Amino acid sequence: MNPPLPTAVATAAQSPLSYVSSEPHSPWGTYLAQIDRVLPYLGRLARWAETLRRPKRSLIVDVPIEMDDGTIRHFEGYRVQHNLSRGPGKGGVRYHPEVTLAEVMALAGWMTIKNAAVNLPYGGAKGGIRVDPRQLSIKELERLTRRYTSEIGIIIGPQQDIPAPDVNTNAQVMAWMMDTYSMNIGATASGVVTGKPLDLGGSLGRVKATGRGVFVTGREAARRLGLSLDGARVAVQGFGNVGSAAAELFAGAGAKIVAVQDHTGCIADPAGLDMAELMPHVRREGGVGGFPGCEALDPEAFWDVDCDILIPAALEGQIDVARAGRIRARVILEGANGPTMPDADPVLEDRGILVVPDVICNAGGVTVSYFEWVQDFSSFFWSEDEINVRLDKIMIDALRRIWDMADQHRIALRTAAFAVACERILTAREVRGLYP
Ligand code: NAD
């Protein structure tokens, strides 16, 4: 069935939320602006759109812990279930000193969109604690995680809301969360979190899944543009979990990794950096800086590198209007969340640079989290090959659907991804009906 044609929609003005700022450059304001942009493509479903502008449930919790020196400290924690129309909440938990409710709300909103864009049977959620985990001992971190899990335990669960790792949380934190939740309910509930260690029901393929998704969507985009990966020049910002896995796969497909930038420096070689040497160098030295046998560039020069494919896989907000005017790639694959500023999008579009947006491009991680959850429920575990075949299919199908929508309405892939996702979410909302 064809997507609805753009129509002017009249939605009754609703009062903004009293407990959060919608200031335009804030994360929540940015999320709201992205929702507003797709309203014209939602046809009759737009009458339900207000549901996307309000999180379903936002829980703020006090997390008191005893420090190693005997003092008591209190931390602020959050779990936001933005939308549950299509299934349980799904989204990571972030430990960061600057986390706010508004930020967690925006991240939860983006999870709703991402999960629907790749058609996973989930709503969107996110959590966080306002803490600098580097200031805590391992025992303090464990106590913090366990108390936080107990506090949000009233709304999470394998059928309700399934947390996962995000910034500064990892498989060990997930193991503590799973154990705490299990102790509280008196049964082992491995499906309550994903991103767990393999020994606790984690999934093969999870570690490299996001990088693999970046590669698979990039390969599909290149095919559609008639760009051969054999000899294609790829520049990567960020050489961590996402960037290094994507770079390795592109190199394996015959591409040349011509530049890599991370927090330790920027290195370049028009003939292609040697991935087999770079990987151990980064493990040993903590970054790409000082890699021998190549050119060291000023970090800002990264944005002028002549390449076919650019992969921002480090931080949000990296591509502003000025950098968008300099980038020389044909395709940008958004490995990071939110690497492109909203006002840079039209600049890239005018310059004919295709952007594969984060909500599709980096959805490989949550997709394999979904596989982990399914495997935990069935207590039957798949091989890494089975994981990768299923991951590739979901990513390719999702991109195809969004590409068709973009072609049909002559809109950017990002707008198309939001439109496809919102259509799915609001259709579920409409079919379920309003209770009571
Ligand atoms: P990571 O911590 O493993 O790696 C981050 C990389 O960014 C490192 O190479 C670091 O050196 C680099 N970096 C940090 N500050 C930088 C700076 N100022 N300039 C240049 N490089 C800098 O993180 P990751 O898991 O690879 O995540 C990267 C991005 O991908 C984040 O935006 C994250 O939200 C997003 N993401 C990750 C996953 C996942 O499964 N890991 C899933 C979806 C989205």
CSV table of all heavy atoms in Angstrom, one decimal, residues 252-273:
chain,number,residue,atom,x,y,z
A,252,GLY,N,37.3,-4.9,4.5
A,252,GLY,CA,37.2,-6.3,4.0
A,252,GLY,C,36.5,-6.4,2.7
A,252,GLY,O,36.6,-7.4,2.0
A,253,ALA,N,35.6,-5.4,2.4
A,253,ALA,CA,34.9,-5.4,1.1
A,253,ALA,C,35.7,-4.7,0.0
A,253,ALA,O,35.2,-4.4,-1.1
A,253,ALA,CB,33.5,-4.7,1.3
A,254,GLY,N,37.0,-4.3,0.3
A,254,GLY,CA,37.8,-3.7,-0.7
A,254,GLY,C,37.9,-2.2,-0.7
A,254,GLY,O,38.6,-1.6,-1.5
A,255,ALA,N,37.2,-1.6,0.3
A,255,ALA,CA,37.3,-0.1,0.4
A,255,ALA,C,38.7,0.3,1.1
A,255,ALA,O,39.3,-0.6,1.7
A,255,ALA,CB,36.2,0.4,1.3
A,256,LYS,N,39.1,1.5,0.8
A,256,LYS,CA,40.3,2.0,1.5
A,256,LYS,C,39.9,3.0,2.6
A,256,LYS,O,39.1,3.9,2.3
A,256,LYS,CB,41.1,2.8,0.4
A,256,LYS,CG,41.7,2.0,-0.7
A,256,LYS,CD,42.6,2.8,-1.6
A,256,LYS,CE,41.8,3.7,-2.4
A,256,LYS,NZ,42.6,4.4,-3.5
A,257,ILE,N,40.4,2.7,3.8
A,257,ILE,CA,40.1,3.6,4.9
A,257,ILE,C,41.1,4.7,4.8
A,257,ILE,O,42.3,4.6,5.2
A,257,ILE,CB,40.2,2.9,6.3
A,257,ILE,CG1,39.3,1.6,6.2
A,257,ILE,CG2,39.7,3.8,7.4
A,257,ILE,CD1,37.9,1.8,5.9
A,258,VAL,N,40.7,5.9,4.2
A,258,VAL,CA,41.7,6.9,3.9
A,258,VAL,C,42.0,7.9,5.1
A,258,VAL,O,43.0,8.6,5.1
A,258,VAL,CB,41.3,7.7,2.7
A,258,VAL,CG1,41.4,6.8,1.4
A,258,VAL,CG2,39.9,8.4,2.8
A,259,ALA,N,41.1,7.9,6.1
A,259,ALA,CA,41.3,8.8,7.2
A,259,ALA,C,40.5,8.3,8.4
A,259,ALA,O,39.4,7.8,8.3
A,259,ALA,CB,40.9,10.3,6.9
A,260,VAL,N,41.2,8.4,9.6
A,260,VAL,CA,40.5,8.1,10.8
A,260,VAL,C,40.8,9.2,11.9
A,260,VAL,O,42.0,9.6,12.0
A,260,VAL,CB,40.9,6.7,11.4
A,260,VAL,CG1,40.2,6.5,12.8
A,260,VAL,CG2,40.6,5.6,10.5
A,261,GLN,N,39.8,9.7,12.5
A,261,GLN,CA,40.0,10.7,13.6
A,261,GLN,C,39.3,10.2,14.8
A,261,GLN,O,38.3,9.7,14.8
A,261,GLN,CB,39.3,12.0,13.1
A,261,GLN,CG,39.6,13.2,14.0
A,261,GLN,CD,38.4,14.1,14.3
A,261,GLN,OE1,37.4,13.5,14.7
A,261,GLN,NE2,38.5,15.4,14.0
A,262,ASP,N,40.1,10.4,15.9
A,262,ASP,CA,39.4,10.1,17.2
A,262,ASP,C,40.0,11.1,18.3
A,262,ASP,O,40.6,12.1,17.9
A,262,ASP,CB,39.7,8.6,17.7
A,262,ASP,CG,41.1,8.3,18.1
A,262,ASP,OD1,41.9,9.3,18.1
A,262,ASP,OD2,41.4,7.2,18.5
A,263,HIS,N,39.7,10.9,19.6
A,263,HIS,CA,40.1,11.9,20.5
A,263,HIS,C,41.6,12.1,20.7
A,263,HIS,O,42.1,13.0,21.3
A,263,HIS,CB,39.4,11.6,21.9
A,263,HIS,CG,40.0,10.5,22.6
A,263,HIS,ND1,39.8,9.2,22.3
A,263,HIS,CD2,40.8,10.4,23.7
A,263,HIS,CE1,40.5,8.4,23.1
A,263,HIS,NE2,41.1,9.1,24.0
A,264,THR,N,42.4,11.1,20.1
A,264,THR,CA,43.8,11.2,20.2
A,264,THR,C,44.5,11.8,19.0
A,264,THR,O,45.7,12.0,19.0
A,264,THR,CB,44.4,9.8,20.5
A,264,THR,OG1,44.2,9.0,19.3
A,264,THR,CG2,43.8,9.2,21.7
A,265,GLY,N,43.8,12.0,17.9
A,265,GLY,CA,44.4,12.6,16.7
A,265,GLY,C,43.6,12.2,15.4
A,265,GLY,O,42.6,11.6,15.5
A,266,CYS,N,44.3,12.6,14.3
A,266,CYS,CA,43.7,12.3,13.0
A,266,CYS,C,44.8,11.8,12.1
A,266,CYS,O,45.8,12.4,12.0
A,266,CYS,CB,43.1,13.6,12.4
A,266,CYS,SG,42.3,13.3,10.8
A,267,ILE,N,44.6,10.6,11.5
A,267,ILE,CA,45.6,10.0,10.6
A,267,ILE,C,45.0,9.8,9.2
A,267,ILE,O,43.8,9.6,9.1
A,267,ILE,CB,46.1,8.7,11.2
A,267,ILE,CG1,44.9,7.7,11.4
A,267,ILE,CG2,46.9,8.9,12.5
A,267,ILE,CD1,45.4,6.3,11.8
A,268,ALA,N,45.8,9.9,8.2
A,268,ALA,CA,45.3,9.8,6.9
A,268,ALA,C,46.4,9.1,6.0
A,268,ALA,O,47.6,9.2,6.2
A,268,ALA,CB,45.0,11.1,6.3
A,269,ASP,N,45.9,8.4,5.0
A,269,ASP,CA,46.7,7.8,3.9
A,269,ASP,C,45.8,7.5,2.7
A,269,ASP,O,44.9,6.7,2.8
A,269,ASP,CB,47.3,6.4,4.4
A,269,ASP,CG,48.3,5.8,3.4
A,269,ASP,OD1,48.3,6.3,2.3
A,269,ASP,OD2,49.0,4.9,3.8
A,270,PRO,N,46.0,8.3,1.7
A,270,PRO,CA,45.2,8.2,0.5
A,270,PRO,C,45.2,6.7,-0.1
A,270,PRO,O,44.3,6.3,-0.8
A,270,PRO,CB,45.8,9.2,-0.5
A,270,PRO,CG,46.6,10.1,0.3
A,270,PRO,CD,47.1,9.3,1.5
A,271,ALA,N,46.3,6.0,0.2
A,271,ALA,CA,46.4,4.6,-0.3
A,271,ALA,C,45.6,3.6,0.6
A,271,ALA,O,45.5,2.5,0.2
A,271,ALA,CB,47.9,4.2,-0.5
A,272,GLY,N,45.2,4.1,1.7
A,272,GLY,CA,44.4,3.2,2.6
A,272,GLY,C,45.2,2.8,3.8
A,272,GLY,O,46.4,2.3,3.7
A,273,LEU,N,44.7,3.1,5.0
A,273,LEU,CA,45.4,2.7,6.2
A,273,LEU,C,45.3,1.1,6.4
A,273,LEU,O,44.3,0.5,6.0
A,273,LEU,CB,44.7,3.4,7.4
A,273,LEU,CG,44.8,4.9,7.5
A,273,LEU,CD1,43.7,5.5,8.3
A,273,LEU,CD2,46.2,5.3,8.0
